[in-house]
Short mmCIF file of all heavy atoms in Angstrom, two decimals:
data_model
loop_
_atom_site.label_atom_id
_atom_site.label_comp_id
_atom_site.label_asym_id
_atom_site.label_seq_id
_atom_site.Cartn_x
_atom_site.Cartn_y
_atom_site.Cartn_z
N ALA A 1 0.84 -1.21 0.00
CA ALA A 1 0.00 0.00 0.00
C ALA A 1 0.86 1.25 0.00
O ALA A 1 0.57 2.23 -0.70
CB ALA A 1 -0.93 -0.01 1.21
N ILE A 2 1.95 1.21 0.77
CA ILE A 2 2.87 2.35 0.79
C ILE A 2 3.53 2.54 -0.57
O ILE A 2 3.67 3.67 -1.06
CB ILE A 2 3.93 2.16 1.88
CG1 ILE A 2 3.27 2.23 3.26
CG2 ILE A 2 5.02 3.21 1.77
CD1 ILE A 2 4.21 1.89 4.40
N LEU A 3 3.91 1.44 -1.22
CA LEU A 3 4.50 1.53 -2.55
C LEU A 3 3.55 2.18 -3.55
O LEU A 3 3.96 2.97 -4.41
CB LEU A 3 4.91 0.14 -3.04
CG LEU A 3 6.15 -0.50 -2.43
CD1 LEU A 3 6.40 -1.86 -3.05
CD2 LEU A 3 7.37 0.39 -2.61
N VAL A 4 2.26 1.82 -3.45
CA VAL A 4 1.28 2.36 -4.39
C VAL A 4 0.96 3.82 -4.08
O VAL A 4 0.85 4.65 -4.99
CB VAL A 4 -0.02 1.51 -4.34
CG1 VAL A 4 -1.12 2.17 -5.17
CG2 VAL A 4 0.26 0.11 -4.86
N LEU A 5 0.85 4.15 -2.79
CA LEU A 5 0.42 5.50 -2.40
C LEU A 5 1.56 6.51 -2.36
O LEU A 5 1.31 7.72 -2.41
CB LEU A 5 -0.24 5.44 -1.02
CG LEU A 5 -1.57 4.69 -0.95
CD1 LEU A 5 -2.06 4.64 0.50
CD2 LEU A 5 -2.63 5.35 -1.84
N ALA A 6 2.80 6.04 -2.26
CA ALA A 6 3.93 6.97 -2.13
C ALA A 6 4.02 7.97 -3.29
O ALA A 6 4.17 9.18 -3.04
CB ALA A 6 5.23 6.19 -1.99
N PRO A 7 3.93 7.54 -4.56
CA PRO A 7 3.99 8.54 -5.64
C PRO A 7 2.84 9.55 -5.58
O PRO A 7 3.04 10.75 -5.84
CB PRO A 7 3.90 7.69 -6.92
CG PRO A 7 4.35 6.34 -6.50
CD PRO A 7 3.88 6.18 -5.10
N PHE A 8 1.65 9.06 -5.23
CA PHE A 8 0.49 9.96 -5.12
C PHE A 8 0.70 10.99 -4.01
O PHE A 8 0.41 12.18 -4.19
CB PHE A 8 -0.77 9.13 -4.84
CG PHE A 8 -1.99 9.96 -4.57
CD1 PHE A 8 -2.67 10.57 -5.61
CD2 PHE A 8 -2.46 10.11 -3.27
CE1 PHE A 8 -3.80 11.35 -5.36
CE2 PHE A 8 -3.58 10.88 -3.02
CZ PHE A 8 -4.25 11.49 -4.06
N ILE A 9 1.21 10.54 -2.87
CA ILE A 9 1.46 11.47 -1.75
C ILE A 9 2.54 12.47 -2.12
O ILE A 9 2.45 13.66 -1.82
CB ILE A 9 1.84 10.68 -0.48
CG1 ILE A 9 0.67 9.79 -0.04
CG2 ILE A 9 2.26 11.61 0.64
CD1 ILE A 9 1.02 8.84 1.09
N TRP A 10 3.58 11.99 -2.80
CA TRP A 10 4.68 12.88 -3.20
C TRP A 10 4.19 13.96 -4.15
O TRP A 10 4.50 15.15 -3.98
CB TRP A 10 5.77 12.04 -3.84
CG TRP A 10 6.97 12.84 -4.29
CD1 TRP A 10 7.92 13.41 -3.50
CD2 TRP A 10 7.33 13.15 -5.64
NE1 TRP A 10 8.86 14.05 -4.27
CE2 TRP A 10 8.53 13.91 -5.59
CE3 TRP A 10 6.77 12.84 -6.89
CZ2 TRP A 10 9.16 14.37 -6.74
CZ3 TRP A 10 7.41 13.30 -8.02
CH2 TRP A 10 8.58 14.06 -7.94
N ILE A 11 3.39 13.57 -5.17
CA ILE A 11 2.84 14.56 -6.12
C ILE A 11 1.90 15.52 -5.40
O ILE A 11 1.88 16.73 -5.68
CB ILE A 11 2.12 13.83 -7.27
CG1 ILE A 11 3.13 13.07 -8.12
CG2 ILE A 11 1.34 14.82 -8.13
CD1 ILE A 11 2.50 12.22 -9.20
N SER A 12 1.11 14.99 -4.46
CA SER A 12 0.16 15.85 -3.73
C SER A 12 0.88 16.91 -2.92
O SER A 12 0.46 18.07 -2.88
CB SER A 12 -0.71 14.99 -2.82
OG SER A 12 -1.44 14.03 -3.57
N THR A 13 1.97 16.54 -2.27
CA THR A 13 2.71 17.53 -1.48
C THR A 13 3.35 18.60 -2.38
O THR A 13 3.33 19.78 -2.04
CB THR A 13 3.79 16.84 -0.64
OG1 THR A 13 4.65 16.08 -1.51
CG2 THR A 13 3.17 15.93 0.39
N ILE A 14 3.88 18.20 -3.51
CA ILE A 14 4.50 19.16 -4.42
C ILE A 14 3.45 20.13 -4.98
O ILE A 14 3.73 21.32 -5.18
CB ILE A 14 5.22 18.42 -5.56
CG1 ILE A 14 6.44 17.69 -5.02
CG2 ILE A 14 5.64 19.39 -6.67
CD1 ILE A 14 7.20 16.93 -6.07
N ALA A 15 2.23 19.62 -5.22
CA ALA A 15 1.19 20.47 -5.78
C ALA A 15 0.84 21.64 -4.87
O ALA A 15 0.37 22.68 -5.34
CB ALA A 15 -0.06 19.64 -6.07
N PHE A 16 1.07 21.50 -3.58
CA PHE A 16 0.72 22.55 -2.62
C PHE A 16 1.95 23.30 -2.10
O PHE A 16 1.87 24.01 -1.11
CB PHE A 16 -0.06 21.94 -1.44
CG PHE A 16 -1.41 21.42 -1.82
CD1 PHE A 16 -1.59 20.08 -2.09
CD2 PHE A 16 -2.50 22.28 -1.93
CE1 PHE A 16 -2.84 19.59 -2.45
CE2 PHE A 16 -3.74 21.79 -2.29
CZ PHE A 16 -3.92 20.45 -2.55
N LYS A 17 3.09 23.12 -2.78
CA LYS A 17 4.31 23.83 -2.40
C LYS A 17 4.58 24.99 -3.35
O LYS A 17 4.19 24.95 -4.53
CB LYS A 17 5.52 22.89 -2.44
CG LYS A 17 5.63 21.90 -1.30
CD LYS A 17 6.90 21.08 -1.45
CE LYS A 17 7.07 20.07 -0.32
NZ LYS A 17 8.34 19.30 -0.48
N LYS A 18 5.27 26.00 -2.86
CA LYS A 18 5.79 27.04 -3.72
C LYS A 18 7.04 26.52 -4.43
O LYS A 18 7.68 25.56 -3.98
CB LYS A 18 6.13 28.29 -2.91
CG LYS A 18 4.92 28.98 -2.30
CD LYS A 18 5.33 30.22 -1.53
CE LYS A 18 4.12 30.91 -0.92
NZ LYS A 18 4.51 32.12 -0.15
N GLN A 19 7.38 27.16 -5.55
CA GLN A 19 8.52 26.69 -6.34
C GLN A 19 9.81 26.70 -5.52
O GLN A 19 10.61 25.77 -5.62
CB GLN A 19 8.68 27.59 -7.58
CG GLN A 19 9.78 27.16 -8.54
CD GLN A 19 9.38 25.99 -9.41
OE1 GLN A 19 8.37 25.34 -9.19
NE2 GLN A 19 10.19 25.71 -10.42
N ILE A 20 9.98 27.71 -4.69
CA ILE A 20 11.20 27.80 -3.89
C ILE A 20 11.28 26.67 -2.88
O ILE A 20 12.34 26.11 -2.60
CB ILE A 20 11.31 29.18 -3.17
CG1 ILE A 20 12.64 29.31 -2.46
CG2 ILE A 20 10.14 29.38 -2.23
CD1 ILE A 20 13.83 29.30 -3.37
N ASP A 21 10.12 26.29 -2.31
CA ASP A 21 10.09 25.18 -1.36
C ASP A 21 10.41 23.85 -2.05
O ASP A 21 11.05 22.97 -1.47
CB ASP A 21 8.73 25.09 -0.68
CG ASP A 21 8.45 26.29 0.20
OD1 ASP A 21 9.42 26.91 0.68
OD2 ASP A 21 7.26 26.62 0.41
N ILE A 22 9.95 23.73 -3.30
CA ILE A 22 10.22 22.50 -4.06
C ILE A 22 11.71 22.39 -4.36
O ILE A 22 12.32 21.33 -4.17
CB ILE A 22 9.41 22.48 -5.36
CG1 ILE A 22 7.91 22.49 -5.06
CG2 ILE A 22 9.77 21.27 -6.20
CD1 ILE A 22 7.03 22.67 -6.28
N LEU A 23 12.31 23.49 -4.81
CA LEU A 23 13.74 23.47 -5.16
C LEU A 23 14.62 23.26 -3.94
O LEU A 23 15.69 22.65 -4.04
CB LEU A 23 14.11 24.76 -5.88
CG LEU A 23 13.41 25.00 -7.24
CD1 LEU A 23 13.79 26.35 -7.81
CD2 LEU A 23 13.75 23.88 -8.22
N MET A 24 14.16 23.77 -2.78
CA MET A 24 14.93 23.60 -1.54
C MET A 24 14.63 22.27 -0.85
O MET A 24 15.20 21.95 0.17
CB MET A 24 14.65 24.76 -0.59
CG MET A 24 15.16 26.10 -1.09
SD MET A 24 14.80 27.46 0.05
CE MET A 24 15.79 26.97 1.47
N MET A 25 13.66 21.51 -1.43
CA MET A 25 13.28 20.18 -0.92
C MET A 25 12.86 20.25 0.54
O MET A 25 13.27 19.42 1.36
CB MET A 25 14.42 19.19 -1.11
CG MET A 25 14.86 19.02 -2.55
SD MET A 25 16.15 17.78 -2.78
CE MET A 25 15.25 16.28 -2.35
N LYS A 26 12.05 21.25 0.86
CA LYS A 26 11.56 21.39 2.23
C LYS A 26 10.53 20.32 2.54
O LYS A 26 9.59 20.10 1.78
CB LYS A 26 10.94 22.78 2.43
CG LYS A 26 11.94 23.91 2.51
CD LYS A 26 11.25 25.21 2.87
CE LYS A 26 12.23 26.35 3.04
NZ LYS A 26 11.54 27.62 3.40
N MET A 27 10.68 19.68 3.67
CA MET A 27 9.71 18.69 4.12
C MET A 27 8.58 19.35 4.90
O MET A 27 7.45 18.86 4.89
CB MET A 27 10.40 17.64 4.99
CG MET A 27 11.50 16.87 4.27
SD MET A 27 10.89 16.01 2.78
CE MET A 27 9.79 14.82 3.55
N VAL A 28 8.88 20.44 5.59
CA VAL A 28 7.87 21.21 6.32
C VAL A 28 7.64 22.51 5.56
O VAL A 28 8.59 23.27 5.32
CB VAL A 28 8.32 21.51 7.77
CG1 VAL A 28 7.26 22.31 8.50
CG2 VAL A 28 8.62 20.21 8.50
N PHE A 29 6.42 22.77 5.19
CA PHE A 29 6.12 23.93 4.36
C PHE A 29 4.70 24.41 4.65
O PHE A 29 3.88 23.69 5.23
CB PHE A 29 6.26 23.59 2.87
CG PHE A 29 5.31 22.51 2.41
CD1 PHE A 29 4.08 22.82 1.86
CD2 PHE A 29 5.66 21.16 2.56
CE1 PHE A 29 3.21 21.81 1.45
CE2 PHE A 29 4.79 20.15 2.16
CZ PHE A 29 3.57 20.48 1.60
N LYS A 30 4.40 25.62 4.22
CA LYS A 30 3.07 26.18 4.35
C LYS A 30 2.30 25.92 3.07
O LYS A 30 2.66 26.40 1.99
CB LYS A 30 3.15 27.69 4.61
CG LYS A 30 1.79 28.33 4.83
CD LYS A 30 1.93 29.82 5.09
CE LYS A 30 0.56 30.46 5.30
NZ LYS A 30 0.68 31.93 5.55
N PRO A 31 1.20 25.14 3.14
CA PRO A 31 0.45 24.81 1.92
C PRO A 31 -0.09 26.06 1.23
O PRO A 31 -0.48 27.03 1.87
CB PRO A 31 -0.69 23.92 2.43
CG PRO A 31 -0.21 23.40 3.75
CD PRO A 31 0.64 24.49 4.33
N THR A 32 -0.13 26.02 -0.09
CA THR A 32 -0.62 27.13 -0.89
C THR A 32 -1.38 26.60 -2.09
O THR A 32 -1.10 25.50 -2.58
CB THR A 32 0.53 28.03 -1.36
OG1 THR A 32 0.01 29.08 -2.17
CG2 THR A 32 1.55 27.24 -2.16
N LEU A 33 -2.34 27.39 -2.57
CA LEU A 33 -3.09 27.05 -3.77
C LEU A 33 -2.56 27.80 -4.99
O LEU A 33 -3.22 27.88 -6.03
CB LEU A 33 -4.57 27.37 -3.57
CG LEU A 33 -5.30 26.55 -2.50
CD1 LEU A 33 -6.73 27.05 -2.34
CD2 LEU A 33 -5.29 25.07 -2.84
N PHE A 34 -1.37 28.34 -4.87
CA PHE A 34 -0.78 29.16 -5.94
C PHE A 34 -0.67 28.36 -7.25
O PHE A 34 -0.96 28.88 -8.33
CB PHE A 34 0.59 29.67 -5.51
CG PHE A 34 1.32 30.41 -6.59
CD1 PHE A 34 0.99 31.73 -6.89
CD2 PHE A 34 2.34 29.79 -7.31
CE1 PHE A 34 1.67 32.41 -7.90
CE2 PHE A 34 3.01 30.47 -8.31
CZ PHE A 34 2.68 31.78 -8.61
N ASN A 35 -0.24 27.11 -7.15
CA ASN A 35 -0.06 26.31 -8.36
C ASN A 35 -1.38 26.06 -9.08
O ASN A 35 -1.44 26.10 -10.31
CB ASN A 35 0.60 24.97 -8.00
CG ASN A 35 2.01 25.16 -7.46
OD1 ASN A 35 2.78 25.96 -7.98
ND2 ASN A 35 2.34 24.44 -6.40
N PHE A 36 -2.44 25.79 -8.33
CA PHE A 36 -3.75 25.57 -8.94
C PHE A 36 -4.28 26.86 -9.55
O PHE A 36 -4.94 26.84 -10.60
CB PHE A 36 -4.73 25.03 -7.90
CG PHE A 36 -4.39 23.66 -7.41
CD1 PHE A 36 -3.61 23.47 -6.27
CD2 PHE A 36 -4.82 22.53 -8.09
CE1 PHE A 36 -3.28 22.21 -5.81
CE2 PHE A 36 -4.50 21.26 -7.64
CZ PHE A 36 -3.74 21.11 -6.50
N ASP A 37 -4.02 27.99 -8.89
CA ASP A 37 -4.44 29.28 -9.44
C ASP A 37 -3.73 29.56 -10.76
O ASP A 37 -4.36 30.01 -11.73
CB ASP A 37 -4.14 30.38 -8.43
CG ASP A 37 -4.63 31.74 -8.90
OD1 ASP A 37 -5.85 31.92 -9.03
OD2 ASP A 37 -3.78 32.63 -9.16
N LYS A 38 -2.43 29.29 -10.82
CA LYS A 38 -1.68 29.47 -12.07
C LYS A 38 -2.14 28.49 -13.14
O LYS A 38 -2.20 28.83 -14.33
CB LYS A 38 -0.18 29.29 -11.80
CG LYS A 38 0.46 30.40 -11.01
CD LYS A 38 0.75 31.60 -11.88
CE LYS A 38 1.86 31.31 -12.87
NZ LYS A 38 2.20 32.50 -13.71
N LEU A 39 -2.49 27.29 -12.71
CA LEU A 39 -2.89 26.24 -13.65
C LEU A 39 -4.18 26.60 -14.37
O LEU A 39 -4.32 26.39 -15.59
CB LEU A 39 -3.05 24.92 -12.90
CG LEU A 39 -3.43 23.69 -13.72
CD1 LEU A 39 -2.30 23.29 -14.64
CD2 LEU A 39 -3.81 22.53 -12.80
N PHE A 40 -5.13 27.18 -13.63
CA PHE A 40 -6.45 27.42 -14.20
C PHE A 40 -6.71 28.88 -14.59
O PHE A 40 -7.48 29.14 -15.53
CB PHE A 40 -7.54 26.98 -13.21
CG PHE A 40 -7.65 25.49 -13.06
CD1 PHE A 40 -7.19 24.85 -11.93
CD2 PHE A 40 -8.23 24.72 -14.06
CE1 PHE A 40 -7.30 23.48 -11.78
CE2 PHE A 40 -8.35 23.35 -13.93
CZ PHE A 40 -7.88 22.73 -12.78
N PHE A 41 -6.11 29.83 -13.89
CA PHE A 41 -6.56 31.22 -14.03
C PHE A 41 -5.48 32.20 -14.48
O PHE A 41 -5.74 33.40 -14.53
CB PHE A 41 -7.15 31.70 -12.70
CG PHE A 41 -8.27 30.84 -12.20
CD1 PHE A 41 -8.11 30.05 -11.06
CD2 PHE A 41 -9.48 30.78 -12.87
CE1 PHE A 41 -9.14 29.25 -10.59
CE2 PHE A 41 -10.51 29.97 -12.41
CZ PHE A 41 -10.34 29.21 -11.27
N SER A 42 -4.29 31.73 -14.80
CA SER A 42 -3.27 32.64 -15.32
C SER A 42 -3.62 33.03 -16.76
O SER A 42 -4.47 32.41 -17.41
CB SER A 42 -1.89 31.99 -15.26
OG SER A 42 -1.85 30.84 -16.09
N LYS A 43 -2.95 34.06 -17.27
CA LYS A 43 -3.26 34.57 -18.61
C LYS A 43 -2.99 33.53 -19.69
O LYS A 43 -3.70 33.47 -20.70
CB LYS A 43 -2.44 35.83 -18.88
CG LYS A 43 -2.86 37.02 -18.03
CD LYS A 43 -2.05 38.26 -18.39
CE LYS A 43 -2.50 39.46 -17.55
NZ LYS A 43 -1.73 40.69 -17.88
N GLU A 44 -1.95 32.73 -19.50
CA GLU A 44 -1.60 31.73 -20.51
C GLU A 44 -2.24 30.37 -20.24
O GLU A 44 -1.98 29.40 -20.97
CB GLU A 44 -0.08 31.57 -20.59
CG GLU A 44 0.57 30.90 -19.39
CD GLU A 44 0.89 31.88 -18.27
OE1 GLU A 44 0.44 33.04 -18.35
OE2 GLU A 44 1.57 31.47 -17.31
N ALA A 45 -3.09 30.27 -19.22
CA ALA A 45 -3.68 28.98 -18.83
C ALA A 45 -4.63 28.47 -19.90
O ALA A 45 -5.47 29.21 -20.42
CB ALA A 45 -4.39 29.12 -17.49
N THR A 46 -4.52 27.19 -20.22
CA THR A 46 -5.42 26.53 -21.17
C THR A 46 -5.95 25.21 -20.59
O THR A 46 -6.48 24.38 -21.32
CB THR A 46 -4.69 26.23 -22.49
OG1 THR A 46 -3.58 25.34 -22.22
CG2 THR A 46 -4.17 27.50 -23.14
N PHE A 47 -5.80 25.02 -19.27
CA PHE A 47 -6.08 23.70 -18.69
C PHE A 47 -7.56 23.34 -18.74
O PHE A 47 -7.91 22.18 -18.90
CB PHE A 47 -5.57 23.64 -17.25
CG PHE A 47 -5.20 22.24 -16.82
CD1 PHE A 47 -4.12 21.58 -17.38
CD2 PHE A 47 -5.95 21.57 -15.87
CE1 PHE A 47 -3.78 20.30 -16.99
CE2 PHE A 47 -5.63 20.29 -15.48
CZ PHE A 47 -4.54 19.65 -16.04
N PHE A 48 -8.44 24.32 -18.60
CA PHE A 48 -9.88 24.04 -18.74
C PHE A 48 -10.17 23.49 -20.13
O PHE A 48 -10.92 22.50 -20.28
CB PHE A 48 -10.71 25.30 -18.49
CG PHE A 48 -10.96 25.60 -17.04
CD1 PHE A 48 -10.54 26.80 -16.48
CD2 PHE A 48 -11.61 24.68 -16.22
CE1 PHE A 48 -10.76 27.07 -15.14
CE2 PHE A 48 -11.84 24.95 -14.88
CZ PHE A 48 -11.41 26.15 -14.34
#
């Protein structure tokens, strides 16, 4: 179960990190919706 869920958990944590936190590989971070906002609502967004 850990083998199956580990990639999902890893992607989920990255999705709520800021870019600087991802590059610094921080394990403790403040969750943010910035990535989802950029994904759907930025000027160049086409995800919808």
Side-chain angles (χ1 to χ4, degrees):
I2 293 173
L3 286 181
V4 172
L5 294 176
F8 174 77
I9 297 173
W10 180 72
I11 292 175
S12 300
T13 56
I14 291 180
F16 293 97
K17 285 182 180 181
K18 294 181 180 180
Q19 184 78 348
I20 186 64
D21 294 334
I22 298 172
L23 296 177
M24 294 179 65
M25 302 183 67
K26 286 186 176 180
M27 300 302 294
V28 180
F29 61 94
K30 183 180 180 181
T32 178
L33 295 176
F34 175 78
N35 296 318
F36 293 93
D37 183 65
K38 289 281 291 182
L39 182 69
F40 288 106
F41 304 111
S42 63
K43 291 182 179 180
E44 70 275 10
T46 61
F47 207 68
F48 277 121

